[in-house]
Every structure is written in structure tokens, then in C-alpha cells.
Amino acid sequence: VRFAFARNPPLYGAVFLSIVSVAIELAAVNALLPLSALATGQIEGIEKSAFARMIGTMGITPSFIVMAVIFLGLLILRVTTQAMSQWMTQLYGRRILAQLASEAFSSIVRHRQIKNIEENTIGYFISLAGDESFRASTIVTSLIQLIGISILVTLYFSAIVAFSLPTALVV
């Protein structure tokens, strides 16, 4: 992981985008609550909504159309930022694979005696370096993707606990 981030600093951007994407999803969920209250005519649901109050402080009246546009906008932004984060992670995952394979093969050539290399085929060493590099790059990309998912799961589970402890225990 240290090798991957040291050689590919834009990976921090992928993690950041993933976290921003989670925050946008939470905002969209918060926008959905007053939207559903407006759709069903429950005015008290709007008054209880922190999101609707926040929109109101910006001078925007939280009507059904306004809340629907905000919700859809947030949803589109969530999908876009998540896709960008995944694209960056996959792009740099392939670069990490190439970097690791190159370093591994270079290390074999530098640190092994020619006699040891001749005992096996060159394909053996290429395969060995490629397989291990693939495993390592897969671990790095999986860890990066796990960060955003873990935050999202933790926040949703916390919301379930706050809503109903018995439901959380079942979940």
C-alpha cells in the first residue's frame, strides 16, 4: 500500500472522491425525507427536516419540485463521483500492477545469479513476478474501494441504531 501511494499520489484523490461521494449520498438521503413528506402532504415532516431548514436558510422554499431537483441532482452527483473514484482506482491499479511487475522482474535479474535463472525458464520468472504483482495490486485497489464502502456502511448502521436498537440488532 505504501509503495502504491508513494508512486501514485493521485490515489489519494480517488480515496477523497470516494469519501465525497459518500457524503453526497448522505445528503441525497436527507433530501429524500422532506421530499417524501411533501409528496404525501405531511407538512410537519418538512418542519422536522434539518435538510429542509438548511435549504430555507439559503432563501430557497422547499417545495416538491425544488426538493425533487435537489434530490436528483445529488443522486447524479453521487453516481458521477463514485464512477470517477472507481475509474481512478482501476486506472492506477493497472499502473501499480505494471510498476510492481517491472520492479519484481528487475529485482530477479539484478539479485539472482545467471546460473539460478538458467535452472528455470524465463517464463517461470515472468509468471512469478506477474502473479504476485497482480495479487498485490488487487489488494491495493480493494482496500481503496473498501474505505468508502466502510464509511457508508458504518454511517447507515449508526442511523439504524439511532432509529431502532432492536432493528439494528436484527441487522
Side-chain angles (χ1 to χ4, degrees), residues 33-114:
L33 298 174
L35 178 62
S36 64
L38 283 166
T40 58
Q42 298 174 351
I43 302 301
E44 66 275 358
I46 309 249
E47 295 166 354
K48 292 179 183 177
S49 168
F51 192 85
R53 285 194 307 269
M54 182 184 70
I55 297 295
T57 60
M58 291 188 229
I60 302 170
T61 305
S63 68
F64 179 79
I65 298 294
V66 167
M67 294 307 294
V69 168
I70 289 172
F71 173 74
L72 289 174
L74 288 169
L75 191 61
I76 290 168
L77 193 57
R78 161 66 165 140
V79 169
T80 303
T81 54
Q82 183 64 23
M84 288 171 53
S85 173
Q86 288 179 344
W87 172 78
M88 285 179 69
T89 301
Q90 294 304 315
L91 172 72
Y92 285 97
R94 287 189 298 274
R95 287 186 183 176
I96 292 165
L97 172 59
Q99 292 165 348
L100 287 170
S102 176
E103 289 283 327
F105 191 66
S106 178
S107 181
I108 289 169
V109 170
R110 280 192 313 249
H111 296 94
R112 287 253 182 182
Q113 294 179 356
I114 195 72

Side-chain angles (χ1 to χ4, degrees), residues 83-162:
M84 288 171 53
S85 173
Q86 288 179 344
W87 172 78
M88 285 179 69
T89 301
Q90 294 304 315
L91 172 72
Y92 285 97
R94 287 189 298 274
R95 287 186 183 176
I96 292 165
L97 172 59
Q99 292 165 348
L100 287 170
S102 176
E103 289 283 327
F105 191 66
S106 178
S107 181
I108 289 169
V109 170
R110 280 192 313 249
H111 296 94
R112 287 253 182 182
Q113 294 179 356
I114 195 72
K115 179 180 155 191
N116 295 104
I117 293 175
E118 288 176 344
E119 290 174 358
N120 293 306
T121 64
I122 196 68
Y124 167 80
F125 291 105
I126 291 172
S127 177
L128 180 65
D131 289 347
E132 295 306 316
S133 299
F134 178 76
R135 285 187 190 101
S137 69
T138 301
I139 289 170
V140 170
T141 57
S142 296
L143 284 174
I144 291 169
Q145 292 173 346
L146 185 63
I147 292 169
I149 292 168
S150 298
I151 292 169
L152 193 60
V153 166
T154 302
L155 291 173
Y156 275 128
F157 187 73
S158 299
I160 293 170
V161 168

